Amino acid sequence: MGLSKKDLISIHDLTVGEVATILDVTRKLKRKQKSGEPHQYLNGKMLAMIFSKASTRTRTSFEVGFWQLGGHPIYLSDESSQIGRGEPVRDTARVLSRYVDGIMIRTFSHESVIELAKYADVPVINGLTDLLHPCQALADIFTIKEKLEVLKGRKLAYIGDGNNMAHSLMFGCAKSGMNMVCASPKGYLPNAEIIDLAQKDAAETGCTIQLEEDPFKAVAGADVIYTDTWASMGQEEEHEKRLKALSRYQVNGELLAAARPHAIVMHCLPAYRGEEITDEVMESPQSVVFDEAENRLHAQKAIMALLMSDEVL
């Protein structure tokens, strides 16, 4: 499946085969990195990394990953560039395209990423928007495959705020044949348009994407329990309100016991222990949270190599 020179804005835009290719190349690159085998598929390439949101995992994993692939990453923040001073996105896209071989952006507005991709002549990677978080979801799907071996027919229960993470997991599960149930309270449901698109994707692979208000019903028979912070960046003022609304949706020992006996627990981090997840579950043998965090590195390397390399991987 050829991904060369394409953008990665949403998993919905990928074919089932392209998702499978990303997972396969992730596995290959992880093996190479662990064995110390050179894999500099992007030797001499340049990546512009635009950050309008604070970051630990996204910046580190992209920067380290691009360097391991032989390229040179350039960090651009709102404070250190014209982007945060009102330069139009279309101008930034056309200028950066003259300098670099790819652009990764982590920002608030999803429309900004779409506009960036429209005007850029190089691949654009969505590192996170308020609507979607595709690189994280692809790393998550890879982690599930690594731990459970088979994806098709597995069940993922997402518990909590129907946010950008829930949206991208819907697409990721649909494209890989996994069933997903999202348990969220009224007022915190996923975007209706995303649900509709994901359900159409799921129909093609024979799985289901469903909503369920009761978290215990959602985790029944689940192979994977997934949660995320209840107040994302930009929602700090709503923290107390969200704590109250989502208190029934904590991933704790009682909820974990209602899933399959060997269900794995996932969280994209940062985690607020005692809120969306308990310390007990976070540190339990069923937690794969830190393996999942590591796999951001490997999955994003696969994405960058597939989009930006001239070689067949």
Side-chain angles (χ1 to χ4, degrees):
M1 297 290 171
L3 281 159
S4 181
K5 311 306 179 189
K6 291 187 177 181
D7 302 313
L8 179 59
I9 309 301
S10 169
I11 297 172
H12 172 67
D13 301 332
L14 302 173
T15 66
V16 170
E18 286 169 340
V19 170
T21 296
I22 291 169
L23 299 180
D24 185 52
V25 173
T26 300
R27 179 183 56 80
K28 290 176 182 176
L29 293 184
K30 183 172 183 177
R31 188 180 68 239
K32 286 177 184 286
Q33 194 256 348
K34 294 294 185 184
S35 65
E37 184 181 343
H39 49 284
Q40 296 194 327
Y41 298 110
L42 299 180
N43 193 36
K45 302 270 188 180
M46 308 291 284
L47 176 74
M49 306 192 308
I50 301 172
F51 283 87
S52 299
K53 278 191 171 187
S55 171
T56 299
R57 280 153 294 279
T58 300
R59 178 178 177 180
T60 307
S61 55
F62 267 106
E63 200 161 322
V64 170
F66 201 70
W67 180 84
Q68 289 179 355
L69 289 166
H72 183 79
I74 303 166
Y75 174 77
L76 299 169
S77 68
D78 280 355
E79 292 76 26
S80 64
S81 70
Q82 297 297 332
I83 297 161
R85 300 179 64 188
E87 182 174 47
V89 171
R90 61 185 181 273
D91 292 359
T92 298
R94 288 180 287 200
V95 169
L96 288 179
S97 294
R98 307 289 179 104
Y99 301 150
V100 302
D101 303 283
I103 304 169
M104 188 283 297
I105 180 168
R106 177 181 171 93
T107 189
F108 293 89
S109 166
H110 192 73
E111 293 306 313
S112 292
V113 180
I114 292 172
E115 186 178 3
L116 188 71
K118 178 181 177 181
Y119 287 96
D121 296 325
V122 296
V124 171
I125 300 170
N126 178 3
L128 174 142
T129 67
D130 285 347
L131 186 69
L132 297 172
H133 199 353
C135 295
Q136 176 70 58
L138 287 164
D140 295 334
I141 298 298
F142 173 76
T143 305
I144 296 166
K145 187 171 185 179
E146 198 174 44
K147 300 299 179 183
L148 303 181
E149 298 182 354
V150 176
L151 291 173
K152 193 166 181 63
R154 297 287 189 182
K155 178 181 176 181
L156 182 148
Y158 179 91
I159 311 297
D161 183 27
N163 60 13
N164 54 1
M165 202 61 251
H167 296 158
S168 284
L169 284 169
M170 285 181 179
F171 289 141
C173 286
K175 295 286 184 177
S176 55
M178 289 182 64
N179 301 308
M180 178 173 166
V181 179
C182 181
S184 306
K186 289 183 175 65
Y188 297 89
L189 297 172
N191 179 292
E193 185 179 345
I194 298 289
I195 295 166
D196 182 57
L197 290 172
Q199 287 176 335
K200 287 175 181 173
D201 287 346
E204 294 180 18
T205 56
C207 61
T208 59
I209 306 294
Q210 299 175 315
L211 301 182
E212 170 58 61
E213 194 170 346
D214 185 335
F216 284 89
K217 288 181 181 177
V219 302
D223 301 287
V224 183
I225 297 178
Y226 199 112
T227 190
D228 189 11
T229 178
W230 290 340
S232 300
M233 277 179 283
Q235 298 172 334
E236 289 81 4
E237 290 181 4
E238 301 176 33
H239 185 252
E240 291 306 315
K241 177 187 172 186
R242 287 173 164 269
L243 269 178
K244 186 175 179 181
L246 289 153
S247 59
R248 287 180 55 224
Y249 294 81
Q250 183 185 73
V251 175
N252 51 35
E254 186 183 4
L255 192 69
L256 180 56
R260 287 188 184 273
H262 302 293
I264 59 174
V265 177
M266 305 182 76
H267 192 307
C268 57
L269 300 175
Y272 296 90
R273 302 177 189 223
E275 292 185 12
E276 74 274 4
I277 191 168
T278 62
D279 191 73
E280 171 200 12
V281 171
M282 187 88 169
E283 298 294 344
S284 74
Q286 289 168 260
S287 169
V288 299
V289 170
F290 298 104
D291 293 330
E292 174 190 1
E294 178 190 338
N295 284 335
R296 284 286 299 280
L297 172 70
H298 308 299
Q300 288 163 186
K301 283 170 69 176
I303 292 163
M304 293 186 290
L306 284 163
L307 298 186
M308 299 171 62
S309 175
D310 301 319
E311 298 183 46
V312 177
L313 301 177

